[in-house]
Amino acid sequence: TLSLQEDPTLERHFKGHKDAVTCADFNSKHKQLASGSADKTLMIWNLNPKARAFRFFGHKDVITGVQFSPAGDLVVSASQDKTVRLWTPSIKGESMVFKAHTATVRSVSFSHDGQRLVTASDDKSVKVWSVHRQRFVYSLNQHTNWVRCARFSPDGRLIASCGDDRTVRLWDTSTKQCINCFTEYGGSATFVDFNTSGTCIASSGADNTLKIWDIRTNKLLQHYQVHSAGINCFSFHPSGNYMISGSSDSTVKILDLLEGRLIYTLHGHKGPVLAVAFSRGGDFFASGGCDAQVLMWKTNFDSFDYRDVLSRHSQRVSPDPPPHLTDIYPRGPHLHSAQSGAVNGHANNLPARRIASTILNPNEDCHSSGQGSTSGSQSGQMGGRRGEEQGMTYPLEMRSDLPMNFSSTLERIVQQLDVLTQTVSVLEERLTLTEDKLKECLFNQSQILLQQYQQNLQVLQSVSVPL
């Protein structure tokens, strides 16, 4: 059981940015905190008070997203200048530029193995990149408006994205297909992420709401309306038991996901809060906003040392399997009614304990969660054999009773589709490069014509016409 120790406390504040702080992330290996700003600079703050901070220049417009690699040796940033930069967080501040988007890049994130990047952009696309090859790989193109955020699932098999078309989309990275779409938003969907077990996604909206879904059953597990203005960002605690959110109402709020209620409201910022992030161990969290400050808070309210917990989990012989893709594909219409209600700072009739069992027990069967009146004891008893069976993986022939020759034909078709997808991705990349070259040629041509016009004008002015 978890024991509440004390309230979160402000540990340090970092001043150095000259404009709004838009994004922040902790380094898992080294004691560093990165922040990006509207002042076009990336700052790497050393948590050792005696060590100096690094300021990196390179982006030509507002930095919109930042994240350290899982190994901690790289940091990636996205910007309104349409580029992504991969930095070495050292005193040299060297960076590689990635360019394939044709508009503002809103977010960037590493896969959990550090091999891929996923970006979201105002060009309505989600793009995946290879870190080591330093090149664009493929695009996901079903959003119909600006895409605000995109994240990989912990196992890398899924991508969640959201945007101004008021949808949250779930993508299969092997087929490059959108496999689910949630549309219950009254405004833009601003941020999306997976929980630590990969069984749930959370998304926030400009309509002040924060929602958590079970992606295996398409059920809305929790719905919070605790902010009085749009939510710009959130972060799961490594345990999956807590969440912090930042809003344009100038507050940071901390939610207890086990109890389904608001437990803290922090008023450290003057103006909208644009960035929040837990450290990888969960002992600290950071917030940044329009007041150009980066605040670092000591968590305090959770007594577990999650570095130890996570290291023990990684050493287990048979870890809990992630949900099988066939459990994630939509089983039918998911028209979620308003019966679940919203959390307004207190526990209500939502299945609050259901998310605890979902997060902590990925194998548990969630079909029997009901419409919001499940008690903690009931949810603890659910699962059993059915839950174990749901998490198991079966061969194609065993699952669907298809003849072997038919399944092999299907596999060949899938392989050919993969080749076709890669070909389309290469063509798209070439088209983007061609478009950039054409823009450059047109610009150069216009400059030459302008110079010729100015020269002719000067010649005409220098010639005196006799009366």
Side-chain angles (χ1 to χ4, degrees), residues 34-50:
S35 60
S37 169
D39 66 11
K40 307 176 189 178
T41 68
L42 171 69
M43 296 287 293
I44 306 288
W45 312 93
N46 284 294
L47 304 189
N48 179 351
K50 295 180 181 179

Side-chain angles (χ1 to χ4, degrees), residues 304-411:
F304 281 145
D305 183 346
Y306 279 93
R307 284 194 181 89
D308 293 341
V309 174
L310 293 171
S311 65
R312 284 200 298 272
H313 280 196
S314 66
Q315 292 167 5
R316 289 191 303 178
V317 178
S318 56
D320 296 329
H324 193 270
L325 284 176
T326 52
D327 294 329
I328 296 168
Y329 277 74
R331 294 184 172 87
H334 53 277
L335 301 174
H336 305 281
S337 65
Q339 293 175 359
S340 295
V343 175
N344 293 301
H346 303 283
N348 63 2
N349 291 329
L350 276 176
R353 286 288 174 187
R354 166 55 47 196
I355 191 171
S357 57
T358 302
I359 291 170
L360 299 176
N361 303 306
N363 288 336
E364 188 173 2
D365 183 8
C366 292
H367 286 289
S368 53
S369 63
Q371 283 297 321
S373 59
T374 308
S375 68
S377 60
Q378 287 173 322
S379 65
Q381 293 166 1
M382 293 176 187
R385 264 324 276 178
R386 285 181 60 199
E388 291 173 11
E389 289 170 2
Q390 189 180 12
M392 292 175 67
T393 308
Y394 300 96
L396 180 62
E397 189 175 8
M398 185 177 174
R399 286 183 62 85
S400 56
D401 297 325
L402 293 173
M404 184 59 76
N405 59 348
F406 186 62
S407 62
S408 62
T409 304
L410 281 175
E411 286 176 8

